[in-house]
Amino acid sequence: MDIKGKNNKINLLEFGAEDLGAVVGGLGMKPYRAAQICRWIYSSGADSFSAMTDISKTDREKLSETAEIRPPELSKRIVSHDRTEKYLFSLQDGEKVESVLIPDEGRLTLCISSQAGCALGCRFCLTGAGGMRRNLLPHEITGQALVAERLAVSGAAPDRQAHEGRRITNIVLMGMGEPLLNTENVVEALRRLISPRMFNISPRRITLSTAGVVPGIKALGDSGLGVNLAVSVNAPNDEIRDSIMPVNRKYPLKALVKALKDYPLAPRRRITVEYVMLGGINDRPEHAAELGRLLRGLKCKINLIPFNEHAGSIFKRPEAASVLTFQERLHSMNYTAFIRESRGADILAACGQLRGLSARKTLTEEKPGV
Ligand code: SF4
């Protein structure tokens, strides 16, 4: 296998901690150099070999000649008034993906993409409207976290006070794409995010969100990684779900709920059920009651997300009173249900919105800070 890029250098980010040992060995270095390199890249955020001062000068020169540390290129950054940040990344072949950084009390959560585009075509989603481009490779998934963390740690983010010196504490795979249609690469990316030698993020702080790809849910459970699972349910019955999420025709609600009940949850953990509320479509009190019956017996909490209207969307935001009534109905059935507003509404933080606008060149580009 040729592991060199176009510039004839090996991108070390392409390798997990174990494989890096073989790569380093192949360059004629002692295998323990791999652990040092990992520490520099993933703990210290080094972006060049010259910073790796505990590696001999000879080996650093050899690394500089033959290898590189090349994450996805940050091509745009937009900051919301609520301190949410959105990043647009360019991949090596020119594909574009998005990430969203969400600062919250004591937490810095990064929402990352797993595919360029998406094949599932959910009717309320701009990414879906743009169609599928390709699966992301493991290092293209983790690379989003590497760049975002460099920004946060260096204080290069425009809101310095918010991020300076902070590490990413939580990861959600909820950006562009359906992670469980790219399961092999996503599972490898998750291993690297969890690995103490790499990102070292607890699986309890990682959440994968799926539109309901039943075989993928089983595969993720079988992987034994122990990450949290969220699922976009968005409808109380197959008729409504078929009309807004074509994936439901392949994996209808009964099969989906069974797969969720079978998912191996860590003690005291629950599945997160996401329910995007679309005015006049799925927001009536009887829909809440039907949803409650559908989820009976599933260890879950429910996030109600009023739809974020955007230019060209065919759906409407529900009335505030409908959202409250919906929540109360679920509470009366003993469910934990929260109302979640989308963060960063002013910077188009819903997946696919920045990329969509980028394609139409209507946003002012900011100078990337990395
Ligand atoms: S909501 Fe998610 S799964 Fe559905 S089309 Fe958009 S990116 Fe794909």
Side-chain angles (χ1 to χ4, degrees):
M1 178 179 63
D2 185 8
I3 56 173
K4 290 181 177 173
K6 276 187 192 151
N7 61 1
N8 223 21
K9 289 190 173 181
I10 303 164
N11 183 5
L12 297 188
L13 299 184
E14 292 179 17
F15 302 93
E18 287 73 27
D19 290 342
L20 198 58
V23 173
V24 165
L27 295 176
M29 296 178 202
K30 300 275 186 237
Y32 66 79
R33 288 282 186 234
Q36 289 174 299
I37 292 168
C38 271
R39 240 187 343 266
W40 279 108
I41 294 176
Y42 297 102
S43 298
S44 306
D47 58 2
S48 73
F49 299 113
S50 58
M52 302 181 181
T53 47
D54 59 357
I55 295 177
S56 71
K57 193 157 176 273
T58 315
D59 279 356
R60 273 186 274 154
E61 282 169 1
K62 199 180 294 173
L63 283 165
S64 297
E65 282 161 19
T66 54
E68 60 183 352
I69 305 162
R70 183 153 41 85
E73 188 185 327
L74 180 67
S75 59
K76 192 170 290 190
R77 185 177 73 223
I78 298 181
V79 185
S80 163
H81 62 71
D82 68 8
R83 298 187 294 124
T84 301
E85 295 191 19
K86 185 146 189 168
Y87 307 127
L88 182 69
F89 291 104
S90 300
L91 306 178
Q92 212 179 339
D93 59 357
E95 290 296 343
K96 303 266 195 277
V97 295
E98 303 172 358
S99 310
V100 180
L101 186 73
I102 307 157
D104 215 341
E105 280 177 19
R107 286 197 301 194
L108 200 53
T109 301
L110 186 71
C111 173
I112 56 180
S113 297
S114 55
Q115 296 180 311
C118 183
L120 290 188
C122 302
R123 302 274 183 256
F124 47 82
C125 171
L126 268 179
T127 299
M132 174 63 174
R133 305 289 299 176
R134 70 168 172 86
N135 283 333
L136 299 196
L137 296 167
H139 72 286
E140 293 172 325
I141 299 170
T142 56
Q144 299 165 58
L146 194 66
V147 175
E149 182 150 287
R150 278 185 195 164
L151 280 167
V153 169
S154 70
D159 186 349
R160 283 171 163 267
Q161 273 189 326
H163 302 151
E164 199 161 7
R166 290 181 60 185
R167 311 299 300 251
I168 287 167
T169 58
N170 294 63
I171 295 274
V172 290
L173 279 97
M174 211 177 271
M176 294 167 63
E178 166 51 58
L180 297 183
L181 288 180
N182 183 19
T183 310
E184 195 178 322
N185 290 338
V186 163
V187 165
E188 175 58 24
L190 290 171
R191 284 190 207 290
R192 296 180 189 184
L193 290 167
I194 293 166
S195 167
R197 293 167 64 187
M198 299 183 82
F199 289 86
N200 196 22
I201 298 174
S202 161
R204 297 172 74 89
R205 290 176 174 270
I206 299 176
T207 300
L208 182 147
S209 177
T210 176
V213 178
V214 166
I217 293 171
K218 172 147 188 1
L220 184 68
D222 290 346
S223 75
L225 291 173
V227 298
N228 302 308
L229 185 62
V231 59
S232 290
V233 173
N234 303 336
N237 58 49
D238 284 326
E239 191 184 348
I240 295 178
R241 201 163 191 264
D242 278 353
S243 71
I244 57 175
M245 297 181 72
V247 67
N248 194 65
R249 292 188 205 122
K250 190 157 187 190
Y251 306 114
L253 282 168
K254 194 172 167 205
L256 174 58
V257 172
K258 180 176 183 320
L260 296 176
K261 285 181 179 169
D262 291 343
Y263 186 76
L265 284 172
R268 295 189 299 284
R269 305 307 276 187
R270 288 179 287 178
I271 304 272
T272 302
V273 170
E274 308 280 3
Y275 194 97
V276 176
M277 295 190 69
L278 306 167
I281 305 281
N282 63 0
D283 61 340
R284 292 206 293 272
E286 57 268 32
H287 293 149
E290 200 176 2
L291 180 68
R293 290 193 294 277
L294 175 74
L295 300 177
R296 184 70 69 216
L298 178 67
K299 283 168 76 179
C300 68
K301 60 181 175 184
I302 303 168
N303 284 341
L304 302 173
I305 308 156
F307 179 66
N308 212 5
E309 275 181 42
H310 51 80
S313 68
I314 53 172
F315 296 108
K316 295 272 171 252
R317 190 178 171 85
E319 300 290 334
S322 312
V323 179
L324 283 174
T325 305
F326 201 100
Q327 182 189 36
E328 281 160 16
R329 185 62 69 94
L330 290 170
H331 284 167
S332 74
M333 298 174 83
N334 292 324
Y335 284 99
T336 305
F338 303 99
I339 298 169
R340 304 274 193 218
E341 283 298 334
S342 303
R343 293 280 301 267
D346 58 319
I347 57 163
L348 310 164
C351 68
Q353 293 191 2
L354 180 59
R355 178 175 171 270
L357 274 185
S358 165
R360 300 200 295 271
K361 296 189 188 312
T362 54
L363 276 182
T364 310
E365 194 150 334
E366 291 191 10
K367 270 257 170 282
V370 170

